[in-house]
Amino acid sequence: MQPLIKILLSALIIFAVSEIAKRSSLFGALIASLPTISILAMIWLWRDTHDATRIARLSSGIFWLVIPSLVLFALLPVLLQRCHFTFPVALAIACSATVLAYLAMLAFLKAFRGQL
């Protein structure tokens, strides 16, 4: 039953953001930008493991991987509004650039693991 609750709650959040964004892009963006999924993941992980070290590692990983995820949000509007790409093409390019940014960040973290 617990996996079903996790799935339904996550789906409800995504549905709510998309519905709210139809009425207000700014309010939809505000809700989407909240770390709701990260917080839920930490709550579920705590509930399942009670392992504070694992939660701390998850939180640290989320912090470092939020940085390359910003590539998508910075590049997509430029591709849509200034370059006039269609949405599917712009999304594909932005997602590809984001994957490259993730790979670069993972390489950075691997190289500097002991120093971060």
Side-chain angles (χ1 to χ4, degrees), residues 77-95:
V78 171
L79 295 171
L80 290 170
Q81 295 174 337
R82 292 190 184 161
C83 299
H84 305 289
F85 284 105
T86 63
F87 174 72
V89 171
L91 185 60
I93 293 169
C95 287

Side-chain angles (χ1 to χ4, degrees), residues 58-115:
L58 174 63
S59 179
S60 179
I62 291 167
F63 171 80
W64 287 107
L65 293 174
V66 160
I67 296 167
S69 73
L70 297 176
V71 169
L72 181 117
F73 302 109
L75 187 56
L76 187 60
V78 171
L79 295 171
L80 290 170
Q81 295 174 337
R82 292 190 184 161
C83 299
H84 305 289
F85 284 105
T86 63
F87 174 72
V89 171
L91 185 60
I93 293 169
C95 287
S96 298
T98 302
V99 168
L100 293 175
Y102 276 121
L103 293 173
M105 179 58 83
L106 291 173
F108 172 81
L109 291 173
K110 185 177 180 183
F112 294 100
R113 180 180 293 168
Q115 298 171 6

Side-chain angles (χ1 to χ4, degrees), residues 24-44:
S24 169
S25 296
L26 185 60
F27 193 53
L30 172 67
I31 293 170
S33 71
L34 295 172
T36 310
I37 298 302
S38 298
I39 292 168
L40 284 174
M42 288 183 240
I43 291 169
W44 299 139

Side-chain angles (χ1 to χ4, degrees), residues 8 12 18 33 37 42 45 51:
L8 290 175
L12 181 63
S18 67
S33 71
I37 298 302
M42 288 183 240
L45 184 59
D51 186 345

